[in-house]
Amino acid sequence: MKLLTATLVKNPRSVNTKFGPKIVADCKLDNGEDVTLWQPENSQIINYGNGSKLTQTLDGKGKYHWVESENETAIASKPESNQTQYQGMSNETKNQVASYVTEMSNLFNFCLKQVDNTVENITPDDRRAIATTLFISAQKKYSL
């Protein structure tokens, strides 16, 4: 078995597969080869961030496996910036999204008030559930 050193090229992410939830980590080996690691959903690799150094092995089937090692250089994983996610979005689109979110917040607030005005002796959880049902029903009926 040979130990290989790799660098995470972006933060590991959780994905749903036909085999259940997995964590995917995209790495680049020291020789320049791109490698994708598939880890169980409870893997600690999720705590590593872009630029972290990882130790891996290559099995006889050509699959790479992460080996947790004390020699690894861990860079804390941090969420991707909203700035990069919305970078290509025009200001007009951003304003439309903000307006829609505001309208939906107002609609949900209205649903909460309607529940408060019409239903008596209700628990906070039931209040929220009824308001959510009204909110979703209104969205569906009026294609909001």
Side-chain angles (χ1 to χ4, degrees):
M1 174 176 19
K2 185 177 180 183
L3 293 177
L4 306 166
T5 304
T7 304
L8 279 171
V9 293
K10 59 182 170 181
N11 292 339
R13 63 198 180 282
S14 296
V15 296
N16 288 319
T17 71
K18 66 181 180 179
F19 303 107
K22 300 285 183 195
I23 296 175
V24 179
D26 297 315
C27 305
K28 187 174 283 289
L29 294 176
D30 285 348
N31 68 6
E33 181 183 353
D34 291 324
V35 173
T36 301
L37 294 174
W38 292 85
Q39 297 293 126
E41 68 178 318
N42 61 351
S43 174
Q44 292 303 307
I45 202 168
I46 196 76
N47 297 321
Y48 288 71
N50 184 15
S52 294
K53 295 284 187 188
L54 303 176
T55 304
Q56 300 177 24
T57 61
L58 179 62
D59 69 14
K61 296 179 183 177
K63 292 190 178 188
Y64 291 91
H65 301 277
W66 176 51
V67 179
E68 235 176 318
S69 164
E70 292 178 11
N71 298 333
E72 292 176 342
T73 307
I75 298 173
S77 176
K78 51 188 172 214
E80 304 255 338
S81 163
N82 285 344
Q83 183 69 18
T84 57
Q85 186 176 357
Y86 299 112
Q87 208 167 15
M89 192 181 286
S90 71
N91 285 337
E92 181 181 344
T93 303
K94 289 177 188 177
N95 289 335
Q96 289 173 346
V97 169
S99 176
Y100 178 79
V101 169
T102 300
E103 288 175 26
M104 292 301 102
S105 298
N106 290 336
L107 176 59
F108 188 75
N109 191 38
F110 177 78
C111 293
L112 284 170
K113 288 179 183 177
Q114 288 305 112
V115 172
D116 291 341
N117 292 335
T118 57
V119 183
E120 296 178 5
N121 300 325
I122 190 169
T123 67
D125 285 342
D126 288 343
R127 173 184 180 256
R128 181 186 44 79
I130 294 168
T132 301
T133 300
L134 292 172
F135 176 77
I136 292 170
S137 296
Q139 280 187 317
K140 285 182 180 178
K141 181 170 183 171
Y142 296 101
S143 302
L144 300 176

